[in-house]
Amino acid sequence: MSSTELPGVRSTATPTSLPEADRVDGGERLRTVALPGLEMNVRFRPAEREGLPAALFVHGLGGSSQNWSALMERLAHTVDGEAVDLPGFGWSPPPVDRNYSVTAQARAVIRHLDAAGRGPVHLFGNSLGGAVSTRVAAVRPDLVRTLTLVSPALPELRVQKSAVPTALLAVPGTAALFGRLTRGLTAEQRTRGVTDLCYGDPARVTPEGFRGAVEEMERRMALPYFWDAMSRSSRGIVDAYTLGGQHGLWRQAGRVLAPTLLVYGGRDRLVSYRMARKAAAAYRGSRLLSLPEAGHVAMMEYPEVVAAAFRELAHDADRDTADGKGR
């Protein structure tokens, strides 16, 4: 479970409008997708060439589409990628019904894919986004070509101590208490805390990336719905952890048909590395990428390695599909 915005592509927008296409750094562009009761910001890179397969990236709790910029850049010649800001995060406004459950977030992703007609896609998810993407792949296999999960937020019996504060946000009233207790912290102090929590080695964050993250932190903290989105999303994860039967996340992981790549960091302080083996057994025929020096956001810390592993997954999936058609 990511805690809040991480160092990434610097945005130059104001809270009332999205950046113009030529004002987004790194060759990225933004657009707004409006659906009944739902509005989402989508970050994308113009396709390097025609005919590339579609990909969709889903961020974690408190994160945004910026968390995928480094990986999207390295996969620009492989996929036609876009990343969403889930409702209430990044540049997306809160959902009208204020429903931040994992099911509601998965429904938002499905609605976007159905409206855009981009499926099946190579679906990526980090942390909360991993739980959301698992649910999407389980209930709508027609929309998912492959599944890549970076430190997915799946139920754990023994939660790591460093993840407890994030889990406590699910308790009613705690978000307001956190807000009062941390009121004296500067945006730089908050950002440093998040970086230390989410990165295996915080020194990998460049000075420019850190400055951009501080500015984004200032913008996000000024939003009137910031703490509400955080607390309700945390509650949504906790609720998803307690669901049993066919709606349980582990049960749904076993229903995923798409070829799956699991990425775990040995220094992850939010999702335990010990969950990697259980996850590899749950997702049928999955492959596991273990990065001993990575933390919770391996796609930001080691984008080249994650990109290479995904290319192998996609290549093998395409080969198996071709072989199946041949038979």
Side-chain angles (χ1 to χ4, degrees):
M1 294 181 286
S2 303
S3 279
T4 186
E5 189 56 49
L6 293 164
V9 176
R10 178 179 175 182
S11 173
T12 57
T14 63
T16 57
S17 64
L18 292 176
E20 297 295 333
D22 60 355
R23 294 177 61 198
V24 181
D25 295 340
E28 296 183 332
R29 298 184 181 183
L30 303 179
R31 71 173 183 272
T32 300
V33 174
L35 300 168
L38 177 68
E39 185 176 300
M40 287 196 298
N41 172 58
V42 177
R43 180 181 301 271
F44 65 100
R45 303 182 66 87
E48 295 288 337
R49 56 182 174 82
E50 293 185 1
L52 290 177
L56 185 71
F57 301 80
V58 186
H59 64 80
L61 175 64
S64 76
S65 57
Q66 291 184 1
N67 296 161
W68 295 102
S69 292
L71 183 61
M72 288 175 64
E73 181 179 3
R74 286 159 179 80
L75 291 177
H77 296 282
T78 307
V79 298
D80 180 4
E82 62 179 30
V84 295
D85 285 333
L86 291 173
F89 296 98
W91 290 95
S92 295
V96 172
D97 59 6
R98 299 177 70 195
N99 186 347
Y100 289 93
S101 67
V102 171
T103 298
Q105 301 284 28
R107 189 181 303 121
V109 171
I110 290 171
R111 290 179 62 192
H112 167 60
L113 288 174
D114 278 340
R118 285 172 56 85
V121 299
H122 294 291
L123 185 60
F124 294 73
N126 169 233
S127 195
L128 164 63
V132 170
S133 297
T134 294
R135 188 147 290 178
V136 172
V139 301
R140 288 292 304 274
D142 59 302
L143 292 178
V144 183
R145 191 168 187 166
T146 67
L147 183 63
T148 299
L149 304 176
V150 182
S151 297
L154 299 171
E156 298 184 48
L157 293 178
R158 293 181 297 162
V159 178
Q160 297 190 98
K161 291 182 179 179
S162 51
V164 169
T166 304
L168 285 176
L169 282 172
V171 179
T174 304
L177 176 62
F178 278 13
R180 291 194 298 269
L181 292 176
T182 61
R183 187 175 300 162
L185 296 179
T186 66
E188 182 173 345
Q189 290 172 324
R190 293 175 187 272
T191 304
R192 183 70 64 190
V194 172
T195 302
D196 291 346
L197 180 65
C198 293
Y199 277 74
D201 179 11
R204 296 184 68 86
V205 180
T206 65
E208 180 183 3
F210 185 78
R211 287 193 299 271
V214 171
E215 293 181 10
E216 178 64 11
M217 176 70 75
E218 292 175 336
R219 183 190 74 84
R220 294 283 296 281
M221 291 297 296
L223 296 174
Y225 54 83
F226 173 81
W227 284 114
D228 185 63
M230 288 291 293
S231 62
R232 289 178 182 270
S233 295
S234 298
R235 200 173 307 150
I237 296 176
V238 172
D239 290 345
Y241 278 18
T242 60
L243 284 177
Q246 63 179 345
H247 299 294
L249 285 172
W250 284 114
R251 178 72 66 85
Q252 292 196 321
R255 292 170 54 191
V256 172
L257 301 177
T260 301
L261 169 65
L262 300 166
V263 183
Y264 280 83
R267 294 183 178 181
D268 194 332
R269 300 175 62 193
L270 292 169
V271 170
S272 176
Y273 182 73
R274 64 175 178 266
M275 300 301 293
R277 181 174 296 181
K278 181 176 181 179
Y283 294 87
R284 64 182 77 180
S286 62
R287 57 186 69 188
L288 175 64
L289 173 61
S290 299
L291 299 175
E293 303 301 316
H296 190 59
V297 287
M299 74 286 189
M300 300 175 71
E301 300 173 84
Y302 298 94
E304 299 89 351
V305 180
V306 177
F310 165 73
R311 291 191 194 97
E312 291 183 6
L313 173 75
H315 176 271
D316 291 347
D318 289 344
R319 181 196 60 198
D320 292 345
T321 299
D323 289 347
K325 289 180 179 180
R327 286 194 295 270

